[in-house]
Amino acid sequence: MSGSTGVMAPPQPGPTPAQRLPSPYSLPLHALRLAGKAALPLILWFSAGELSRWAILYAATEISHGSLRQVRLVVTLVLMTVVILISMTVITGMFLSLRRVLRETQARRADGQEDEPFWVSLNRVGPAFALIYLAWELYIKDASDFQWMDLFHNLDDNFYTPIFNNVANGTEEEVTYGMGLVGLDWRVSIGAMVVTFGMRMLFAHLVEKSKGRFSGIAAAFSEFAFVFCGLNAIFTFTKAREDWASHRAVVGGASEAWEHAKENVPGWEAFWKWAGDTWPHVIDALAVPLTWLAIAVLVFGGTVDDTRRALRGTRLERGMDRLEGSHDLTQRATDRFIGGFRDRWVPVVNAFRITVKGGITLFGLMCLLYVGLHVGADYLERVVNTLIGSDVPYMWLVVSRPVEFVKDLLVTVLAYSVLAATFDIAATRARLQGEDITA
């Protein structure tokens, strides 16, 4: 007889859905799932943000014109800083709403990790968010919104009226139309820079020491205010430096060498024209999605501004070791030299490293969906505008804003959901393979 008892061993349970590695190809459906679960808070955050931004921008366009012009312009720049803080708050709130429905968050809750309170998250995110926001010049949209509102709102009172009064009465009333962000006297601008720089140093010190309940938010505010208040002084001195540099021999020699290369090197001009036309599309297709993913990772609890992490596993990491072991003066000089490059690209590299933990397919699909949403929404807006028509004069002054609001709402919610789903898939795959994506 055989030694077998004839009793079959019970089958081993297969991996549960939560234990299986999520496929990168599940990104579109997972993004829609997250958008559906967090739809209400996402819509509320976006709507509240748009309403708050509109109210502050309207107040800024009113305050920027009138007597005591320089004081008014300083207040206008402060309000513009508040507008950017509102943008930061809304972005953080929307990503936190998505974070609550992530599979990775549910796994961490099962491990005993508690959710981070909103104000703690905002205070933590503030300093790094300011660096990314300024390095990639994301504030240009806020400044553009102010400029367009000022141009449409004050066309009669601050453009036609003073011009006609000057012609009719022989006066010299100043035309302040469209000058709210660039009309500040450079001396006042320098004074405001000194004040905001002091605030910047103070709150940065508090952040380093982990002191102050809202020191991170205050540091972000002072960082934004320093940039806006210094725009006019920087423009004045940059223009003077350009005028001076254009007469220097080395600049003239470089210009002559460039012209000589264009005339004598075959394909030189064609190559640089192609590069100039192609590079913006590369940035929009690859770097911009990664930049916003870096902001999402930052809100979700990860670190994206760590240079060592960006260089980990490469030959440049040894150079980082030598730099950290060098003299303080060398470190400060290097920091000044590469500071702007580091603030701009280190978060992008870290976001890329996080994404590829889910596979290069996940990275490509994320960029495709992100860009496709924005391009598709622009074409869809054209279709909607055509269907509505424009039979009534000036109708689009009323209708255009609701159409733009709905489009921006859909694009923002879906794009943020794609970014959150990308992080969720990459983090889940890393965790199931024994890695920590935020380490």
Side-chain angles (χ1 to χ4, degrees), residues 353-436:
R353 292 177 69 104
I354 287 174
T355 308
V356 295
K357 287 183 180 293
I360 196 67
T361 302
L362 181 64
F363 166 70
L365 196 55
M366 179 202 70
C367 293
L368 179 63
L369 291 175
Y370 186 92
V371 175
L373 281 171
H374 287 81
V375 174
D378 289 339
Y379 280 104
L380 182 61
E381 184 182 19
R382 293 184 185 182
V383 173
V384 172
N385 292 347
T386 302
L387 292 175
I388 294 175
S390 57
D391 297 334
V392 180
Y394 306 110
M395 180 187 72
W396 278 101
L397 291 177
V398 178
V399 176
S400 61
R401 188 55 193 150
V403 173
E404 291 176 2
F405 174 84
V406 173
K407 185 198 83 168
D408 292 342
L409 172 63
L410 291 175
V411 171
T412 303
V413 167
L414 292 177
Y416 285 9
S417 298
V418 167
L419 298 174
T422 301
F423 172 83
D424 199 21
I425 292 173
T428 302
R429 290 176 66 92
R431 176 172 48 80
L432 294 179
Q433 293 172 345
E435 300 178 28
D436 183 3

Side-chain angles (χ1 to χ4, degrees), residues 31 50 55 57 60 123 143 170 188 205 215 234 253 268 274 292 301 390 408 421:
E50 289 295 294
L57 288 172
N123 193 59
V188 180
H205 177 73
S215 57
I234 292 172
W268 179 271
W274 172 83
W292 282 103
S390 57
D408 292 342

Side-chain angles (χ1 to χ4, degrees), residues 10-288:
Q12 295 295 325
T16 64
Q19 293 175 328
R20 297 194 189 105
L21 290 178
S23 170
Y25 295 103
S26 66
L27 177 60
L29 289 178
H30 190 39
L32 289 176
R33 189 181 303 115
L34 295 179
K37 288 183 177 180
L40 181 59
L42 290 175
I43 293 172
L44 291 177
W45 269 114
F46 184 85
S47 302
E50 289 295 294
L51 179 60
S52 302
R53 289 180 76 256
W54 185 90
I56 300 298
L57 288 172
Y58 184 88
T61 59
E62 286 289 310
I63 291 174
S64 63
H65 304 282
S67 58
L68 299 174
R69 172 81 170 151
Q70 295 300 312
V71 176
R72 287 175 175 269
L73 291 179
V74 172
V75 176
T76 299
L77 295 177
V78 172
L79 290 178
M80 281 302 304
T81 306
V82 174
V83 168
I84 299 180
L85 283 183
I86 291 174
S87 297
M88 181 182 78
T89 304
V90 171
I91 291 169
T92 303
M94 293 182 72
F95 278 126
L96 285 177
S97 299
L98 287 165
R99 186 178 73 175
R100 294 189 179 95
V101 296
L102 297 180
R103 288 190 295 238
E104 181 66 15
T105 301
Q106 297 171 5
R108 293 180 182 183
R109 287 172 180 164
D111 291 339
Q113 295 186 24
E114 297 182 358
D115 290 346
E116 190 177 41
F118 171 76
W119 288 108
V120 175
S121 297
L122 188 63
N123 193 59
R124 174 181 56 81
V125 166
F129 179 93
L131 291 178
I132 298 173
Y133 208 78
L134 293 173
W136 283 96
E137 299 178 342
L138 301 179
Y139 58 85
I140 288 179
K141 183 183 183 302
D142 301 297
S144 177
D145 290 342
F146 168 84
Q147 194 71 4
W148 279 111
M149 181 176 285
D150 191 25
L151 294 178
F152 278 103
H153 178 56
N154 296 305
L155 178 61
D156 291 329
D157 293 341
N158 300 109
F159 184 71
Y160 290 122
T161 299
I163 290 178
F164 291 152
N165 286 339
N166 290 341
V167 173
N169 304 321
T171 58
E172 296 182 357
E173 182 179 353
E174 181 183 7
V175 178
T176 59
Y177 179 69
M179 299 293 290
L181 297 180
V182 295
L184 190 67
D185 184 85
W186 65 270
R187 288 159 293 195
V188 180
S189 180
I190 290 178
M193 283 181 68
V194 171
V195 174
T196 53
F197 182 77
M199 295 171 55
R200 179 186 175 196
M201 297 298 293
L202 171 63
F203 292 120
H205 177 73
L206 292 178
V207 169
E208 290 178 0
K209 299 295 184 182
S210 300
K211 295 181 179 179
R213 185 176 181 183
F214 302 112
S215 57
I217 301 173
F221 176 86
S222 58
E223 191 77 39
F224 292 135
F226 176 76
V227 171
F228 270 103
C229 290
L231 282 178
N232 294 273
I234 292 172
F235 175 79
T236 300
F237 288 113
T238 301
K239 184 65 171 63
R241 187 179 65 177
E242 289 177 353
D243 294 340
W244 170 81
S246 63
H247 296 89
R248 305 302 293 173
V250 64
V251 176
S255 300
E256 292 177 3
W258 183 267
E259 293 298 327
H260 180 76
K262 287 171 60 176
E263 295 173 0
N264 297 280
V265 178
W268 179 271
E269 186 173 6
F271 169 77
W272 287 109
K273 184 179 184 304
W274 172 83
D277 293 339
T278 305
W279 183 245
H281 297 297
V282 174
I283 293 296
D284 290 340
L286 301 178
V288 171

